[in-house]
Amino acid sequence: ILSVAPGRIIFVLQKATRDLYDKIVDKVIQHKILKLVIESNVNEGIKDVLETKLKDRGVRWCEIVLIYNTVNKEQRIADMANTVKTTVVFPEKGKYSTKHPLGLFMYQLTQYTTEGNNKHDDAADSICGFVNKFVVNGTRKNKIKTRKKIFGGL
């Protein structure tokens, strides 16, 4: 599961279960997440459950999008690895302990290899999915718009 908020990326590297739904909703609220992208093979009903839980908590600002991957994980990672390395700004090596979620994410990401088995490939897959969805295939461009001052400079 990967989610995006203004200035933040939050990765949940666990399989979504009913115990995790409330934590996801809490993160959406805490970080004002505007778009939550969920890989469909996690749980087909997760979108409906989360939309209901968000609505019950008064959240109307978060769009939930399901993505369906038809390419195997190793190929998706290989296809996006260079783009990730050239477009994502990562924290300094060693800045976060592996006991911190971002430190654990970075450790798992940097341990990914194209040779042999990868016990933890979700970090690489999720960052590649993020870059593919929001950098490479992003359709909405950020634009600055000027607006009239409603209260005339009060």
Side-chain angles (χ1 to χ4, degrees), residues 10-69:
I10 300 167
F11 297 92
V12 180
L13 297 177
Q14 309 172 234
K15 185 172 182 175
T17 62
R18 297 209 184 276
D19 298 338
L20 191 57
Y21 296 158
D22 289 331
K23 290 180 183 178
I24 294 170
V25 169
D26 289 343
K27 291 293 184 187
V28 167
I29 294 168
Q30 178 185 357
H31 298 288
K32 303 284 190 269
I33 294 171
L34 303 176
K35 183 177 265 189
L36 181 66
V37 179
I38 302 170
E39 187 174 5
S40 66
N41 67 352
V42 172
N43 177 336
E44 289 294 326
I46 191 171
K47 180 179 180 194
D48 294 334
V49 171
L50 290 174
E51 285 176 338
T52 299
K53 286 183 171 287
L54 288 166
K55 185 177 178 182
D56 290 348
R57 302 249 324 248
V59 175
R60 306 272 189 272
W61 66 76
C62 182
E63 174 189 4
I64 300 176
V65 178
L66 288 179
I67 58 170
Y68 302 91
N69 286 314

Side-chain angles (χ1 to χ4, degrees), residues 65-83:
V65 178
L66 288 179
I67 58 170
Y68 302 91
N69 286 314
T70 56
V71 177
N72 77 41
K73 187 182 286 193
E74 291 79 16
Q75 188 62 52
R76 291 193 309 262
I77 294 168
D79 291 346
M80 296 306 301
N82 189 55
T83 307

